[in-house]
Amino acid sequence: MQIHIEASELPGRTCRPGTDFAGFDNIHVGVQRKDRPGELLGPHPGDAPSASWTLDCTAVPTAEGGIEVSGPYIQNRLGGRFVYLSWGTVDDSGVFTMFRRAKLMMADVTQDVLEAAVLSGHLTARLRLTDDGGLPRCARVRPPDIVWAATDGA
């Protein structure tokens, strides 16, 4: 199965003055590899019109009747499985330094959507990457701020 993340409304490359993140410049966002905070898939600049990522994963039935999703970009911690979108700055030598993350929780995908995604082979998450304060979206992103859907992958 593949997870497609489609993000819109990125916050810009600089955090606005008067916030805890003022002074952060050349902001980028990418998907963090499992257990490797410094390894990102597809970093996008914070002022891009949109950002998207495709994650290969496996989905297997559990003894409890659920579906367990795993893969190189699916984190597995107490509290469940999730995808991290990591926000950070990129310096002149190209080094990414994270300053906040957003969590896309697999537990927030309804069972019927997940079952349909297993059949189609594609699960899509759509979200805005700017929070209500104009900053990079962080913490747990829950519906309605994220919409999960089984898609055909087209």
Side-chain angles (χ1 to χ4, degrees):
M1 186 172 80
Q2 291 185 319
I3 297 174
H4 306 279
I5 301 169
E6 299 175 357
S8 61
E9 298 181 43
L10 281 73
R13 282 211 196 195
T14 303
C15 285
R16 62 183 171 74
T19 69
D20 291 340
F21 301 103
F24 285 107
D25 292 313
N26 201 20
I27 295 170
H28 284 65
V29 61
V31 177
Q32 179 186 312
R33 188 171 180 89
K34 180 181 177 185
D35 299 326
R36 296 183 189 164
E39 193 173 326
L40 296 180
L41 175 67
H44 291 272
D47 61 353
S50 63
S52 63
W53 300 271
T54 298
L55 315 177
D56 290 322
C57 59
T58 57
V60 296
T62 65
E64 298 80 26
I67 298 171
E68 183 176 273
V69 178
S70 62
Y73 295 93
I74 309 295
Q75 309 292 323
N76 184 14
R77 303 269 189 280
L78 294 175
R81 294 174 186 266
F82 56 90
V83 174
Y84 266 141
L85 296 182
S86 293
W87 291 98
T89 58
V90 177
D91 67 16
D92 292 337
S93 61
V95 175
F96 179 88
T97 304
M98 183 184 61
F99 66 88
R100 71 186 333 192
R101 295 186 286 203
K103 256 183 175 180
L104 313 184
M105 302 296 296
M106 297 309 303
D108 289 337
V109 181
T110 62
Q111 184 72 15
D112 61 323
V113 167
L114 192 51
E115 288 172 358
V118 169
L119 292 175
S120 73
H122 300 277
L123 175 65
T124 299
R126 293 181 180 97
L127 71 157
R128 291 181 17 218
L129 288 183
T130 300
D131 69 15
D132 292 339
L135 296 171
R137 184 172 297 284
C138 70
R140 184 175 180 170
V141 183
R142 305 201 62 188
D145 293 325
I146 186 169
V147 176
W148 292 97
T151 56
D152 62 11

